[in-house]
Amino acid sequence: MSDSLTLGAGSRPAAVQASPRWWRRSPYGLPLYAGELWLRRLVPLVLWFSAGELGRFALLTAGSELSHGSLREWRLAAVMVIFIVMVMLFMVVTVGMLHSLRGALIETRVRRAGGEDPEPLLTGLGRAIIVFVAIYLAWGWQTADAREFSDADMERYAVQYDVYEAKRILNALAGNGAQTPAPALPDAGTNLVLDLKVALVCTAVALVARYVLSALHERRGGRKLAFGVAFCELAYTFYAATLLVTFAGERSAWVGRRAVTAWWNERWAALEETVPGWQSAMEWLGGARPHMVAALLVPLTWLTLAILVYGAYSEDARALIRGTAADRAAGALQDRTHRMTRRGAGMLVTRAGLDRWPPVLHALRLTLRAGAPLFTVMCLCYVLLTVAADYAERGAYYLIGTAHRQLWWEAYQIPVHFARDLLFTTFTLCLFAATFDIAATRQRAKRSVSAGE
């Protein structure tokens, strides 16, 4: 990683050695640099975002149409494939937008001046897609996509609920509800709820395919195998979600009846009563935790993706401790333990949700090496952009007014949502690209000073 950040140091032509303007190398000029990138690359960013939104709309419509009809259980299995394609489309568009900013970065020009060939989009996409899937699943971003997928189906078939309620009212007015058959429950909005047997079959197929493609990718590499591994990873996770939801309810009921659970609940309640301020502190932490995650961890995660796309990132957790005593201890432990033991420990880390932290901590380490102000300004800018986008959307609705029919109101919301998402997404990606470039520039400058001394 550090080598890629300092590539070309000490071997650049005079045109590249010229000092960039202050806002391209100062943490306090990060907003200006992000705005400059946004203006210089606005057209490709808009094209990428528009293509992604158009493809997303087509897949949402196709998933809603396919989910209704005969053989519903197998239809929903095919709908899940459409949902996976929609997630993959989001990843491709995100990488494409970041790649469109690549040519405007100082780090890219330094690499090319040092003899590095321009990297095509598919190469960066093949390198980034597998780790992108891991980050996407580790941080639970699929929840928002699944909700949007189900809401789209519910909106298109909302008449089912009207018919269902009308039949219930008619049965109640008839006075003989015991003799009138109950109306069928509507199935709109349940196009991601699979049958248990079908989910089990699809999960097994995805698991085998993922194992085979992962083994081939480790030996051969390549973009096609990377896409296959990413697709199978998503398929295995989403199809297995039905099984996990089914068994989680039974497991939670079983755990709730255990004596150790009752003992823990009693001890925790006693702790809240005896320790002064404990309950209020826990309530404050529970309320502040979502804001802390949104303000600190979310921008770091997106910065991780930017670093990944620009080729200065390793998904290996060892990169976080490389060159330290912990790295040497980890190497000795790896030499003295069995492969099955290491694999079991890796599975335990994944199941515990700890796999989400090494990429974020690695991005934090890279940013802090360029100075704590850069990390602070990046997070502050991200929070201000989030607040500004919400207020801008509210202001647009205020200008439109509320004295409209429901159909027209929904039509007005489409361009407002599109404009808000377009401006927020494009500018935040420019912010993370500028953060990476400033960090790389400052690291290169420090390396040059050290080499000169």
Side-chain angles (χ1 to χ4, degrees):
M1 157 102 43
S2 58
D3 294 338
S4 63
L5 289 178
T6 57
L7 182 62
S11 60
R12 292 169 287 158
V16 182
Q17 290 181 358
S19 178
R21 297 181 179 179
W22 71 269
W23 63 77
R24 298 178 184 173
R25 48 188 170 84
S26 172
Y28 304 103
L30 179 61
L32 294 177
Y33 192 17
E36 180 188 7
L37 291 177
W38 187 76
L39 292 175
R40 294 178 63 183
R41 290 293 187 266
L42 182 59
V43 174
L45 289 174
V46 171
L47 291 178
W48 270 109
F49 183 84
S50 301
E53 289 297 303
L54 182 61
R56 191 179 186 89
F57 174 76
L59 292 172
L60 288 172
T61 305
S64 179
E65 287 291 334
L66 184 60
S67 60
H68 300 278
S70 58
L71 300 175
R72 178 171 170 80
E73 293 81 6
W74 294 103
R75 282 177 174 267
L76 295 183
V79 169
M80 185 63 75
V81 176
I82 296 178
F83 177 70
I84 296 171
V85 173
M86 188 184 77
V87 174
M88 295 284 289
L89 175 65
F90 159 72
M91 297 180 180
V92 171
V93 170
T94 302
V95 174
M97 295 174 71
L98 287 171
H99 191 272
S100 66
L101 299 170
R102 188 184 186 94
L105 301 181
I106 299 174
E107 173 69 11
T108 303
R109 295 198 292 269
V110 170
R111 291 182 182 183
R112 292 177 180 176
E116 182 177 307
D117 296 330
E119 183 181 66
L121 172 62
L122 291 179
T123 301
L125 189 59
R127 180 182 62 249
I129 192 66
I130 296 179
V131 185
F132 199 164
V133 168
I135 295 175
Y136 178 88
L137 296 176
W139 287 98
W141 293 350
Q142 68 272 17
T143 303
D145 288 334
R147 187 181 298 114
E148 183 179 358
F149 203 81
S150 300
D151 289 345
D153 182 55
M154 190 177 297
E155 290 180 1
R156 299 187 75 252
Y157 289 91
V159 67
Q160 290 185 0
Y161 291 91
D162 298 335
V163 173
Y164 174 75
E165 292 297 333
K167 288 183 179 180
R168 288 187 58 190
I169 294 174
L170 290 177
N171 290 347
L173 293 176
N176 56 349
Q179 300 177 1
T180 305
L185 291 174
D187 57 6
T190 60
N191 52 350
L192 291 179
V193 181
L194 275 66
D195 180 74
L196 190 60
K197 296 180 180 179
V198 175
L200 183 61
V201 173
C202 295
T203 302
V205 173
L207 178 62
V208 173
R210 186 189 69 164
Y211 178 80
V212 173
L213 292 179
S214 298
L216 292 176
H217 182 263
E218 291 178 359
R219 295 181 179 180
R220 303 178 183 177
R223 297 188 297 265
K224 295 181 180 179
L225 287 175
F227 274 93
V229 172
F231 185 88
C232 292
E233 181 69 29
L234 290 173
Y236 168 72
T237 302
F238 294 150
Y239 282 119
T242 301
L243 305 178
L244 293 177
V245 169
T246 302
F247 296 133
E250 301 177 358
R251 184 184 64 176
S252 60
W254 180 84
V255 171
R257 294 192 297 266
R258 300 304 96 189
V260 65
T261 304
W263 175 85
W264 174 260
N265 292 335
E266 293 176 359
R267 299 285 78 77
W268 187 265
L271 188 66
E272 292 181 346
E273 294 177 358
T274 55
V275 178
W278 179 270
Q279 186 173 2
S280 59
M282 290 297 102
E283 291 177 354
W284 176 86
L285 183 61
R289 181 175 177 272
H291 301 292
M292 295 171 60
V293 171
L296 300 177
L297 298 182
V298 171
L300 269 179
T301 306
W302 282 106
L303 177 61
T304 302
L305 296 178
I307 296 171
L308 176 67
V309 171
Y310 298 138
Y313 173 78
S314 173
E315 66 275 14
D316 188 2
R318 291 285 293 275
L320 186 64
I321 58 174
R322 184 165 295 141
T324 63
D327 184 22
R328 294 189 293 271
L333 184 63
Q334 182 177 0
D335 296 336
R336 298 178 182 179
T337 54
H338 194 269
R339 181 172 58 90
M340 296 298 295
T341 304
R342 295 194 299 270
R343 180 174 296 181
M347 292 178 62
L348 180 62
V349 169
T350 302
R351 296 296 181 268
L354 300 178
D355 58 329
R356 70 179 68 180
W357 295 108
V360 175
L361 293 176
H362 197 67
L364 178 62
R365 182 190 184 194
L366 184 146
T367 310
L368 292 181
R369 279 182 173 180
L374 180 61
F375 170 70
T376 305
V377 173
M378 179 193 69
C379 294
L380 180 61
C381 290
Y382 181 80
V383 172
L384 292 178
L385 284 172
T386 304
V387 175
D390 292 339
Y391 274 103
E393 183 179 9
R394 186 182 302 179
Y397 291 147
Y398 178 79
L399 294 176
I400 293 174
T402 58
H404 304 286
R405 299 178 61 181
Q406 181 66 25
L407 180 61
W408 287 105
W409 178 249
E410 293 182 358
Y412 291 145
Q413 286 181 326
I414 296 176
V416 173
H417 286 166
F418 180 84
R420 178 198 179 277
D421 294 340
L422 172 65
L423 295 176
F424 178 76
T425 303
T426 54
F427 204 92
T428 51
L429 291 181
C430 291
L431 175 68
F432 301 132
T435 303
F436 163 79
D437 204 28
I438 292 176
T441 302
R442 294 174 68 86
Q443 283 291 308
R444 195 185 317 110
K446 292 180 180 179
R447 190 69 172 267
S448 300
V449 172
S450 300
E453 293 177 354

